[in-house]
C-alpha cells in the first residue's frame, strides 16, 4: 500500500492517506508532549516502541473480540489502519487513583476503586480536554446514544482483558485513555493507539512507573521504561 499525502499531524503521530480510500498509514513520531503540547521533546526510539507496543495490544484485543483499526505494521514506526471517522470524546478508565482524578477530588494516589471508573473528555487541546458526560455528547452531536453505550461496554471489556494481560507481566494497569471511531461500514471501532503514552503502568510490587509519568514527572529513562513494559508482556520491538 502506497503512502500518499499527509492528512493530519498531531502531537505525536502523523496520519497519511493511501492509494486505498478505506485505509490510512499512521506514523508514530519520536515527539513527546505534555501539558496539552506546551512541553515537547524528541525521545529516541519512542515512535517505534509505541508502534510495536500498540500493534501488539490491538492484536491481543482483536483475539478477544474487540474491533480495532489496526491492519498490519508497514515499518518500524508505521501501521496500516482502517480509516475511521473519529468520535471527539476520549474514554478514560481508571482502576487506581492517579493524575487528574487525584487533583479533582483530593484523593491519594494509589487508592484502588471499588469498581472501575469511566470518564469522558472532549478532545480539545485549546480547552484542555474538559470532562463531559453522555448528555453533552448527545446534545452536541459528538456521539449517539448507541455509540456511547458501545464505547462504555467496550472500554470496560478492554479494561478486563488488558488488566489481566499486564497482571501476568507483573504490571498494574492503573488507568488509560481510548479513542473510538466509526469505520466506512458504520462499525464502532477502537482507533488511535494503546501505548505507555496513554496509560499508566506500575510495577505491581515496587510501584515503579513504566509510562508517560516518567516524562511528565521528569523521572528519566522514559523510553527505557516503555521498552521494559514491552519486554515484560512479550511484545517484540
Ligand atoms: P493529537 O491529535 O491528540 O495531537 P496524535 O498526534 O496522536 O494526536 O494524532 C493522531 C490523530 O489521528 C488523532 O487526532 C486521532 O484521533 C486520529 N486517528 C487515530 N486513529 C485514526 C483512524 N483510524 N482514522 C482517522 N483518524 C485517526
Ligand atoms: N490520557 C491521554 N491523553 C489525554 C489525557 C489522558 O492519553 O489527553 C491518559 C493518561 O496518560 C492517563 C489517563 O489517560 O493514563 C488518565 O489521565 P488523567 O486524566 O489522569 O490526566 P493527566 O494527569 O495524565 O494529565
Amino acid at each position: 500500500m502506497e503512502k500518499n499525502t499527509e492528512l493530519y499531524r498531531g502531537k505525536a503521530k502523523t496520519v497519511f492517506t493511501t492509494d486505498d480510500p478505506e485505509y490510512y498509514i499512521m506514523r508514530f513520531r519520536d515527539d513527546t508532549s505534555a501539558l496539552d503540547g506546551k512541553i515537547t521533546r524528541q525521545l529516541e526510539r519512542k515512535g517505534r516502541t509505541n508502534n510495536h507496543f500498540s500493534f501488539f495490544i490491538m492484536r491481543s484485543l482483536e483475539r478477544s473480540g474487540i474491533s480495532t483499526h489496526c491492519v498490519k505494521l508497514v515499518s518500524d514506526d508505521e501501521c496500516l489502519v482502517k480509516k475511521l471517522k473519529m468520535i471527539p470524546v476520549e474514554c478514560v478508565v481508571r482502576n487506581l487513583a492517579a493524575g487528574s482524578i487525584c487533583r479533582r477530588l483530593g484523593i491519594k494516589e494509589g487508592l484502588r476503586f471499588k469498581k472501575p471508573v469511566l470518564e469522558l473528555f472532549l478532545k480539545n487541546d485549546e480547552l484542555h480536554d474538559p470532562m463531559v458526560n453522555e448528555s453533552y455528547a448527545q446534545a452536541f452531536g459528538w456521539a449517539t446514544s448507541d455509540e456511547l453505550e458501545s464505547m462504555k461496554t467496550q472500554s470496560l471489556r478492554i479494561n478486563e482483558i488488558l488488566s489481566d494481560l499486564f497482571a501476568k507481566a507483573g504490571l498494574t494497569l492503573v488507568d488509560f485513555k481510548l479513542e473510538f471511531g466509526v469505520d466506512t461500514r458504520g462499525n464502532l471501532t477502537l482507533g488511535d493507539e494503546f501505548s505507555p503514552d496513554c496509560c499508566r503502568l506500575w510495577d505491581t510490587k515496587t510501584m515503579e512507573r513504566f509510562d508517560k509519568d516518567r516524562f511528565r514527572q521528569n523521572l528519566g529513562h522514559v523510553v527505557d521504561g516503555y521498552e521494559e513494559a514491552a519486554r515484560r508482556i512479550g511484545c517484540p520491538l
Side-chain angles (χ1 to χ4, degrees), residues 25-40:
I25 285 178
M26 204 164 76
R27 176 187 290 158
F28 288 72
R29 307 194 313 273
D30 284 344
D31 298 325
T32 303
S33 70
L35 300 175
D36 300 316
K38 271 193 230 104
I39 302 174
T40 52

Side-chain angles (χ1 to χ4, degrees), residues 170-223:
L171 295 166
T172 301
L173 180 59
V174 174
D175 59 28
F176 59 88
K177 181 267 300 176
L178 301 173
E179 292 183 31
F180 292 90
V182 179
D183 72 10
T184 49
R185 290 174 177 78
N187 301 311
L188 188 86
T189 304
L190 178 65
D192 206 48
E193 66 174 301
F194 191 104
S195 76
D197 262 2
C198 54
C199 70
R200 287 192 169 92
L201 288 172
W202 295 352
D203 181 282
T204 305
K205 289 206 183 96
T206 66
M207 309 253 281
E208 184 182 352
R209 276 115 172 100
F210 296 104
D211 55 60
K212 197 169 169 181
D213 274 349
R214 287 173 94 112
F215 177 70
R216 295 189 191 97
Q217 299 172 8
N218 222 352
L219 303 175
H221 303 289
V222 178
V223 181

Side-chain angles (χ1 to χ4, degrees), residues 7-15 24 26-29 33 69-70 81-88 90 123 125 129 177 179-182 189-193:
L7 187 69
Y8 176 77
R9 188 181 165 90
K11 296 186 291 295
K13 304 192 289 300
T14 308
V15 179
Y24 287 155
M26 204 164 76
R27 176 187 290 158
F28 288 72
R29 307 194 313 273
S33 70
H69 69 158
C70 279
V81 298
K82 281 188 206 153
K83 168 182 175 172
L84 301 182
K85 185 171 184 302
M86 297 306 289
I87 294 172
E90 301 181 337
K123 197 172 155 62
D125 282 339
D129 293 356
K177 181 267 300 176
E179 292 183 31
F180 292 90
V182 179
T189 304
L190 178 65
D192 206 48
E193 66 174 301

Side-chain angles (χ1 to χ4, degrees), residues 84-103:
L84 301 182
K85 185 171 184 302
M86 297 306 289
I87 294 172
V89 175
E90 301 181 337
C91 297
V92 168
V93 181
R94 302 177 186 273
N95 297 305
L96 275 72
S100 69
I101 198 169
C102 295
R103 298 191 290 274

